[in-house]
Amino acid sequence: MSPITPRTMPGVLELLPREQEIHDAMRDTIRRGYARFGFLPVETPTIERTDVLLTKTGGETERQVYFVQSAGQLEQGGQPELALAFDLTVPLARYVAEHEHDLNFPFRRYQIQRVYRGERAQRGRWREFYQCDIDIIDRDELSVRHDAEIPATIASVLDALDIGDFTIRINDRRLMRGLLEEAGVTGEPAQTDLIREIDKLDKIGPEKVRDALLAGGMASGAADTLLQQTSTRTTSAEEALATLSDLGSGPTAAGADSLSEVLRVLADLGVPEMRYSLDLSIARGLDYYTGTVYETTLDDHPELGSICAGGRYDDLAGQYTKTHLPGVGMSIGLTRLFFQLREAGLLPANISAIDAVVTLMDEDGLGYALEVASLLREAGIRVETRMEPDKLGRQLRNADRAGIRFALIDGGAERSARTTTVRDLDEGTQETVPLDHLVQHLKHR
RNA sequence: GUGGCCGUAGCUCAGCUAGGUUAGAGCGCCAGGUUGUGGCCCUGGAGGUCGGGGGUUCAAGUCCCCUCGGUCACCCCA
C-alpha cells in the first residue's frame, strides 16, 4: 500500500512522452514562426516581486495571483514578497522599463513560457499554462502599421501549425466606444460594462445581450441599432473597408480610420482574406487594451473558444517609467490549443523523438549493437539502444508503442556478415543491409 | 468568490430507483500460445477496504447525515 496518492492538482496539464513530443513540436513551430518575422527571444523569471506584479492590475487579477513564500517566511508570519507571473505582458512591461536604455525601439520580442492563474480550473481553463506572446513596443508613438504586423505573424504561425482554417477577428475599442457614444451611453463604468456584454454576443446570443443592454439603461431602439451594428462580420477586405468607411465620422472616426490602415497593411503583408474578419463585437475583457483588439477561433470548431488574442495598449509601462511606451501584441494559449485539439481528435500526426531502436537478443551482441548505434548517431539519427537482452517480440512491441519507426535487428547472422536487418514498423517490411550502406538506407526511407 | 451535478478496477461505465449468495463488463496492462519479428486472434492472470467517516438495519456499493475530492456554469480569461 502506498502512503501517498500520486496525483497532480487540477488545472495543470501533464503529458505522456508521445503527446509531449507533439506539444513540443508545436511550440517549436510557433517559436520559429515568430523568429521569421524578426521578433527577438526574451525570457523573464517565473517569480516576480509582488510590488512589480500587482501595480497596474485590478482587483480581479489580484485574486488570481499565486503568492510565493518560503517556509521560513511563512513560519514568521511575513507577507509574501514574491508571486508567480500570471501573464507575460506585465513582466514584459517591467523588462522594457528596466532595460529601456539597452534596447532598440521599436522593440519586438517573442516569449514562450508557462504562467499561473489561481482560478477554478475548468475545461480549457488552466492554472498553469503556456503563453506564446509577441509584442512590439515603441517610445512615445507606435505606428498603427504594427497592429497589422502582429496578426500577420500569428496567421503565418497558425498556418504552419496546420490545424485547419481559422479566423482572426479584429476590432477597435475606440470604434465600439464610439458606437456606444452614438447610442447615448457615455462615461464609465457604463461603457465598459456594456462592452463586456456585447463581447459575449457570439457566446450567449443577441437576445441575452439585448436584455443586458436594456438592463444597462439603454433605450430599446438604441439597443437594436447597436446590436445590428456590432453583429457585423465581414468576409472580405473590400467589405471590411466599406463598412469602416460608412462608420468613419463622429465619435467612431478615430477607430475606423485606424482599423482601415490596419486592414490595408494586412493586405500588403499578403495575409489571405479568409484568415481575418472585421468583427465589431470583439472587445476583450482586459481593461488595458485601448485600440485594436484581436480574437482568434478555429473555423470548424468555434466551440473551442479563443485560442489566441491580444490588442493594443497605449501605455504599457506607465507604472515603471516616465517614458511613454505604447505597444501591441498577441498571445497564443498553447496549453488550451493543444488540449482542445486533442479533445477534438485534431492533433497533428504523431511525431517520435526517436528514429530507431537497436534491439538486443543475446549478451554476445552488445558490442556490435552499440557500434551500430554509434554509426547512426554520428549521422544525426536519433537512436535508442537496449542494454539488456530481451525477447525480440517485446522489443518490437515497445518500439511500436513509442512510435519509433525503425527497429534494427542484429543477431549472430548479421554480426558475422557485418550487416543489420532494418525493420520498418510502420510499413511492416524489412531488409538486411551492410553496415556501410546503413545510414544511406535509413535516410532514404 | 457564488451556484448545480457526480464519486464503483489504470480508463469508460453497469449494479443503486424495489437493501440479501464470493462486486461485474469493455478497453488497457502482464504472461503464454510463437526459443529472431510488433499490430490481429486465442488462453490465462494481476488489479477494487464500491472516495472517507458516522448512522438506520439481522444485513448497506445500494437508504440517511457529515466530510473530502472531482466536475460544470457564473465571474474573469489563453
Side-chain angles (χ1 to χ4, degrees):
Chain A
M1 69 182 207
S2 53
I4 297 168
T5 307
R7 56 183 198 141
T8 58
M9 67 176 209
V12 300
L13 183 64
E14 187 173 76
L15 302 172
L16 292 172
R18 288 189 74 164
E19 288 183 338
Q20 188 74 52
E21 286 159 12
I22 297 170
H23 176 276
D24 290 1
M26 290 176 69
R27 192 175 56 185
D28 287 346
T29 298
I30 294 168
R31 189 186 57 74
R32 282 196 300 271
Y34 286 171
R36 258 203 304 279
F37 277 76
F39 290 86
L40 301 170
V42 162
E43 189 167 340
T44 58
T46 298
I47 302 175
E48 291 274 358
R49 296 172 180 279
T50 307
D51 57 348
V52 168
L53 212 51
L54 296 180
T55 43
K56 72 177 300 174
T57 67
E60 192 55 44
T61 312
E62 190 154 350
R63 219 178 70 191
Q64 298 190 343
V65 168
Y66 277 110
F67 289 106
V68 178
Q69 196 169 28
S70 71
Q73 261 185 330
L74 191 62
E75 276 172 24
Q76 291 169 20
Q79 287 302 304
E81 293 170 354
L82 303 171
L84 298 180
F86 61 87
D87 71 7
L88 300 178
T89 305
V90 172
L92 170 67
R94 192 225 80 228
Y95 183 94
V96 172
E98 185 169 343
H99 305 293
E100 193 181 329
H101 304 294
D102 301 309
L103 300 174
N104 291 322
F105 289 91
F107 176 62
R108 5 178 355 114
R109 79 89 176 79
Y110 71 86
Q111 190 170 354
I112 300 175
Q113 286 181 237
R114 291 210 262 214
V115 298
Y116 299 83
R117 292 188 190 173
E119 59 187 337
R120 281 265 184 96
Q122 261 177 57
R123 166 174 293 255
R125 319 263 319 260
W126 304 89
R127 286 171 159 170
E128 177 186 73
F129 61 98
Y130 274 96
Q131 286 199 320
C132 311
D133 278 33
I134 43 170
D135 287 271
I136 304 172
I137 315 291
D138 207 347
R139 281 191 279 222
D140 302 326
E141 291 284 324
L142 173 68
S143 166
V144 73
R145 291 170 185 171
H146 293 295
D147 293 42
E149 226 187 341
I150 294 287
T153 305
I154 293 292
S156 168
V157 163
L158 293 180
D159 248 329
L161 282 176
D162 197 24
I163 52 177
D165 289 336
F166 56 88
T167 301
I168 301 174
R169 301 189 284 169
I170 304 175
N171 193 14
D172 191 300
R173 279 216 157 189
R174 290 165 295 177
L175 191 57
M176 189 173 268
R177 286 190 186 281
L179 292 176
L180 284 165
E181 205 85 26
E182 285 180 345
V185 180
T186 54
E188 292 300 335
Q191 282 194 354
T192 301
D193 288 348
L194 292 187
I195 283 174
R196 206 163 268 155
E197 294 304 323
I198 294 166
D199 188 51
K200 296 177 191 165
L201 194 54
D202 281 358
K203 193 176 175 185
I204 66 177
E207 275 85 42
K208 287 188 176 172
V209 173
R210 190 170 187 277
D211 291 345
L213 293 179
L214 297 180
M218 281 187 74
S220 172
D224 288 335
T225 304
L226 187 61
L227 264 180
Q228 200 216 328
Q229 288 169 322
T230 53
S231 296
T232 301
R233 314 271 184 278
T234 66
T235 54
S236 74
E238 192 188 354
E239 185 191 353
L241 287 169
T243 302
L244 291 171
S245 170
D246 290 346
L247 291 169
S249 65
T252 55
D257 289 352
S258 172
L259 268 184
S260 299
E261 175 72 355
V262 171
L263 291 170
R264 277 191 294 270
V265 177
L266 217 39
D268 286 343
L269 280 162
V271 181
E273 287 181 322
M274 65 175 300
R275 295 306 192 199
Y276 60 93
S277 163
L278 178 67
D279 181 334
L280 299 187
S281 73
I282 296 300
R284 313 292 311 127
L286 286 179
D287 288 338
Y288 56 72
Y289 294 126
T290 50
T292 319
V293 286
Y294 318 94
E295 180 120 38
T296 312
T297 49
L298 296 179
D299 292 357
D300 296 334
H301 297 274
E303 75 282 0
L304 301 192
S306 173
I307 57 164
C308 174
R312 147 89 63 153
Y313 26 87
D314 259 350
D315 187 17
L316 177 70
Q319 304 289 334
Y320 311 121
T321 174
K322 284 177 180 164
T323 311
H324 187 64
L325 296 167
V328 61
M330 287 181 86
S331 177
I332 298 175
L334 177 57
T335 302
R336 170 180 287 180
L337 177 61
F338 177 88
F339 180 81
Q340 306 281 47
L341 288 172
R342 185 176 74 171
E343 291 299 288
L346 296 172
L347 277 189
N350 174 59
I351 314 152
S352 178
I354 301 170
D355 300 311
V357 59
V358 180
T359 62
L360 182 63
M361 287 177 291
D362 57 281
E363 283 295 341
D364 295 342
L366 182 64
Y368 188 71
L370 297 185
E371 181 189 340
V372 171
S374 295
L375 193 68
L376 297 179
R377 286 172 181 143
E378 280 163 22
I381 294 169
R382 301 168 299 178
V383 183
E384 180 195 344
T385 57
R386 309 302 310 184
M387 286 298 181
E388 295 285 340
D390 195 1
K391 284 190 166 189
L392 183 60
R394 203 189 331 264
Q395 295 183 63
L396 293 179
R397 192 179 62 203
N398 288 337
D400 184 47
R401 283 178 187 168
I404 299 170
R405 180 161 174 201
F406 297 107
L408 304 193
I409 302 164
D410 308 309
E414 283 88 350
R415 255 178 277 154
S416 51
R418 299 286 295 167
T419 60
T420 185
T421 296
V422 179
R423 181 163 181 82
D424 184 328
L425 296 175
D426 289 352
E427 306 283 327
T429 59
Q430 66 185 44
E431 195 177 335
T432 302
V433 299
L435 279 200
D436 298 347
H437 298 143
L438 179 57
V439 168
Q440 197 188 2
H441 177 85
L442 284 175
K443 293 207 159 173
H444 254 78
R445 304 288 302 238

